Structure formats: structure tokens, C-alpha cells
């Protein structure tokens, strides 16, 4: 009997009871089961109390050495499903991914410690892996035009994806927050949108422009002719959309015009354009749903030289003084 697997299942039940998002749950489950397999197959560990700091350090060295999907190399099911055929098979695992693995394993070990399943937390004293900061490109006006023109808005699913993309760019909401809204959450008169299913579990308002309001009104009228779903952006069957469906649509239309546009990138671009157009950090932080201005600044202070130059020209003393 593998007691590590049993505790992973119990931990996942605990995560479910705390209302963690499906995306977070998938991340925890995948990370912990890969770690468990390493512990059992490479270190012959079957009990949580057997896991020591050196095993965790050795695991990260192993992942770095094997590369992407390398941990699946000896798995018969994985061989059948073909991760070896992926173009990125065996490539270096990024420090950002490793930092996510470390955070997930640490959360599991904290749970084991607080539940008194282990006497000492093996993650204590292990130096944190620093994630790599990737500067998300600011899409130009021309690139955004190309992306939005690639959608055929005469078709239900493409009109829906087009509206979703524009709403993220105009309001800065997260994709997971947006797909769960219902018509009653929209205030067209005041250009406001109530988000209930937020990352922080706290409801908040975001706002949209008059242009977006006209787009949204058109979508709502169109939607009523084709579905009686409770959701503003329903699936073809009327259920709440899956985030991965939206991501796939963005990926498809990005390829059509030679770009790489992702939902979170549009949220990032909203924040950058908001600041470039003279918006302030405090208001931006509230719109984005961050815990503090410092969190917002850490996430969006990655302007490149060209973007800083644009912001400077808008706020230059000589440009704005009659001297």
C-alpha cells in the first residue's frame, strides 16, 4: 500500500472543500502524482514520513536532467499516448515551471505537517527556485486589428470568442472570471460588470468602454436568438465554457495571422495600455483584483524601452507646459 498516494487523495479532497479552482486542482494533482512516482520508483519511498529534504532536492535535479515529459519516459501508458512525439519532448524545463512544482509540493508538505502526518516539514530549509520573468509583448494596434479581424462574427462560436477577447482587453478581467458571468451581472448603462467567480473569492466590479458596450449589446441580442443558457458566454450546449476552449480559439486565430495571443496576455496588455494612457497604479490594482498596489507593480513593471519612451512622450514636462 502506497501511503503517499493515499495522502495525496486526502489532500485533494481538502483542496476541494476549500473551493480551489479547477485549474489549481489540476496543477496540484499532476505535480504531486509525478513527485509520488519519482519517490516510489526512484527512491523506493512509500510513506510520507520517509520523504526528506534530500529527496526533494534530488527530484528537482532529476527533472532538470530529464527535461520536459522525461519523467514519463519509463511509463508504459505514456509511451502509448506518445509524449515522445511532442516537439518539445526532452527540452529544458523552465525555472518558472520548476518554481510552480516546488510551490505545489511545499503546499502538500505543509498540509502533512499541520495534519501531524509528518513530524518535520522536508521543504523547510530548501532554497526557493526563482521563476523566470517573461516580458509579455505589448501588441501593437495593427497586431490587435489583425487578430480581431480573423474572427468570423457571423458564426456563433467565433462571435463569442471575439467578444470575450475584446472584453478582456477592455476590462482586464481574467478569463475564468468572465466565462461565469450571467446577464444580470452586466450594467450596460454605466459600463460596469460584476465579477462573482474571482480568484480572491471577493466580488468586484470592472468597467468597459462605450465601444465595448455597443459590442456587448450586439452579442446579447445575437445570443438570445440561439440559446436560452443562463451564461452570457455559453458553450454550444448552453453550459459554462471551459477555459481551455477559449485558449484553443485564441491559439487558432493567432496562428491565422502569425501572432501568439493568449487570454492572460490581453489582460496584461489592458494593464499596460491603461498605464501608458495615463491611468494610475491604485485604480489599476483595484480593477485587476490584486491584494495591493505592490502586487500590481511586481506583475506589470516589465515595460521595455520602447514602451517607456511612449509613456515619457505622453508625460514630458515640455510637451505639457506652455513654455
Amino acid at each position: 500500500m502506497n501511503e503517499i498516494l493515499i495522502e495525496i487523495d486526502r489532500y485533494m479532497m481538502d483542496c476541494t472543500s476549500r473551493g480551489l479552482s479547477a485549474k489549481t486542482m489540476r496543477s496540484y494533482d499532476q505535480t504531486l502524482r509525478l513527485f509520488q512516482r519519482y519517490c516510489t520508483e526512484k527512491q523506493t519511498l512509500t510513506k510520507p514520513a520517509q520523504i526528506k529534504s534530500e529527496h526533494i532536492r534530488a527530484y528537482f535535479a532529476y527533472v532538470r536532467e530529464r527535461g520536459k515529459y522525461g519523467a514519463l519516459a519509463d511509463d508504459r501508458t505514456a509511451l502509448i499516448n506518445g509524449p515522445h512525439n511532442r516537439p518539445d519532448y526532452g527540452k529544458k524545463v523552465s525555472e518558472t515551471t520548476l518554481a510552480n512544482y516546488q510551490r505545489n509540493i511545499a503546499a502538500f508538505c505543509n498540509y502533512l505537517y499541520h495534519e501531524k502526518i509528518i513530524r518535520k516539514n522536508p521543504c523547510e530549509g530548501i532554497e526557493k527556485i526563482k521563476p523566470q520573468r517573461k516580458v509579455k509583448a505589448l501588441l501593437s494596434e495593427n497586431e490587435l486589428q489583425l487578430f480581431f479581424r480573423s474572427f468570423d462574427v457571423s458564426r456563433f462560436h467565433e462571435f463569442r470568442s471575439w467578444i470575450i477577447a475584446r472584453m478582456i482587453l477592455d476590462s482586464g478581467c481574467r478569463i475564468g472570471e468572465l466565462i461565469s458571468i450571467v446577464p444580470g451581472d452586466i450594467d450596460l448603462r454605466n459600463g460596469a460588470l460584476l465579477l462573482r467567480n474571482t480568484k480572491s473569492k471577493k466580488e468586484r466590479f470592472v468597467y468597459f468602454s462605450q465601444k465595448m458596450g455597443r459590442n456587448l449589446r450586439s452579442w446579447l441580442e445575437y445570443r438570445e436568438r440561439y440559446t436560452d443558457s443562463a451564461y452570457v458566454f455559453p458553450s454550444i450546449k448552453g453550459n459554462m465554457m471551459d477555459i481551455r476552449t477559449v485558449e484553443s480559439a485564441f491559439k487558432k486565430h493567432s496562428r491565422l495571422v502569425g501572432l501568439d495571443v493568449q487570454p492572460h496576455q490581453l489582460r496584461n496588455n489592458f494593464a499596460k495600455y491603461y498605464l501608458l494612457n495615463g491611468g494610475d497604479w491604485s485604480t489599476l490594482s483595484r480593477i485587476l483584483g490584486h491584494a495591493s498596489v505592490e502586487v500590481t507593480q511586481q506583475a506589470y513593471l516589465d515595460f521595455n524601452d520602447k514602451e517607456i519612451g511612449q509613456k515619457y512622450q505622453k508625460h514630458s514636462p515640455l510637451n505639457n507646459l506652455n513654455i
Side-chain angles (χ1 to χ4, degrees):
M1 182 182 295
N2 193 303
E3 294 181 18
I4 299 175
L5 264 180
I6 292 172
E7 294 304 332
I8 289 174
D9 288 337
R10 287 176 177 167
Y11 175 63
M12 295 308 298
M13 288 178 62
D14 178 73
C15 291
T16 301
S17 71
R18 289 186 281 128
L20 299 187
S21 71
K23 183 178 180 181
T24 300
M25 296 276 286
R26 284 196 298 269
S27 177
Y28 281 163
D29 192 63
Q30 181 185 39
T31 299
L32 296 176
R33 293 189 189 283
L34 285 173
F35 178 60
Q36 174 273 321
R37 194 164 67 195
Y38 167 82
C39 288
T40 301
E41 296 179 3
K42 304 297 181 182
Q43 301 286 354
T44 64
L45 311 175
T46 58
K47 298 179 179 180
Q50 295 175 322
I51 301 173
K52 308 299 180 187
S53 297
E54 55 264 30
H55 298 130
I56 296 174
R57 290 191 180 96
Y59 175 66
F60 286 112
Y62 169 77
V63 174
R64 282 191 171 98
E65 180 185 350
R66 298 301 293 270
K68 284 189 176 183
Y69 312 104
L72 302 175
D74 302 322
D75 185 274
R76 188 170 298 174
T77 302
L79 284 169
I80 294 171
N81 292 335
H84 299 73
N85 298 323
R86 294 181 65 112
D88 55 348
Y89 176 78
K91 289 189 177 180
K92 181 180 178 181
V93 178
S94 74
E95 293 301 295
T96 299
T97 298
L98 290 173
N100 289 336
Y101 288 174
Q102 186 181 48
R103 186 174 62 249
N104 293 348
I105 292 170
F108 176 57
C109 289
N110 285 336
Y111 163 82
L112 295 175
Y113 179 74
H114 288 299
E115 291 293 314
K116 296 182 170 50
I117 296 162
I118 57 176
R119 292 185 179 181
K120 185 179 179 181
N121 189 334
C123 289
E124 286 185 4
I126 296 179
E127 185 177 352
K128 286 187 177 181
I129 298 169
K130 295 181 180 179
Q132 296 164 322
R133 288 278 297 152
K134 287 185 179 179
V135 177
K136 292 184 177 66
L138 183 68
L139 295 165
S140 68
E141 183 176 355
N142 182 57
E143 288 173 327
L144 287 168
Q145 286 175 347
L146 286 172
F147 177 66
F148 286 119
R149 287 173 182 170
S150 70
F151 292 87
D152 180 358
V153 295
S154 67
R155 304 175 69 185
F156 181 88
H157 64 285
E158 295 211 12
F159 191 3
R160 180 192 58 197
S161 298
W162 182 81
I163 284 285
I164 288 173
R166 290 175 74 83
M167 180 62 86
I168 296 173
L169 179 64
D170 199 48
S171 70
C173 57
R174 297 180 179 91
I175 182 59
E177 298 169 333
L178 186 59
I179 60 175
S180 64
I181 66 170
V182 297
D185 296 330
I186 301 172
D187 182 352
L188 283 169
R189 177 177 294 179
N190 296 303
L193 175 64
L194 177 62
L195 300 177
R196 303 177 189 273
N197 183 32
T198 67
K199 189 175 182 180
S200 66
K201 308 300 181 185
K202 295 179 182 178
E203 293 182 356
R204 80 176 190 281
F205 281 100
V206 293
Y207 304 91
F208 52 86
S209 64
Q210 291 181 349
K211 184 187 291 185
M212 185 69 241
R214 291 192 294 271
N215 294 158
L216 192 54
R217 193 185 299 275
S218 296
W219 164 250
L220 291 172
E221 291 172 356
Y222 178 92
R223 166 189 164 279
E224 285 181 1
R225 298 199 297 269
Y226 293 93
T227 181
D228 59 358
S229 172
Y231 298 102
V232 173
F233 304 111
S235 68
I236 298 297
K237 294 182 178 180
N239 302 318
M240 187 171 81
M241 287 186 70
D242 190 294
I243 290 175
R244 288 170 292 186
T245 301
V246 182
E247 291 173 338
S248 295
F250 281 29
K251 189 175 292 184
K252 170 191 170 184
H253 287 275
S254 293
R255 284 198 299 264
L256 290 175
V257 293
L259 296 171
D260 181 16
V261 182
Q262 302 163 22
H264 195 75
Q265 182 185 16
L266 290 181
R267 173 173 155 90
N268 178 281
N269 275 218
F270 157 77
K272 284 189 172 182
Y273 272 115
Y274 182 87
L275 293 170
L276 287 169
N277 291 328
D280 65 278
W281 284 103
S282 180
T283 304
L284 176 62
S285 182
R286 290 186 61 180
I287 291 172
L288 293 173
H290 288 162
S292 66
V293 173
E294 288 71 27
V295 172
T296 308
Q297 290 175 332
Q298 287 175 5
Y300 297 103
L301 268 178
D302 56 352
F303 288 99
N304 61 33
D305 291 340
K306 182 180 178 181
E307 293 158 7
I308 291 172
Q310 286 179 252
K311 192 167 180 63
Y312 164 77
Q313 291 297 336
K314 188 176 182 68
H315 298 285
S316 160
L318 283 181
N319 281 346
N320 289 282
L321 291 172
N322 186 25
I323 57 174

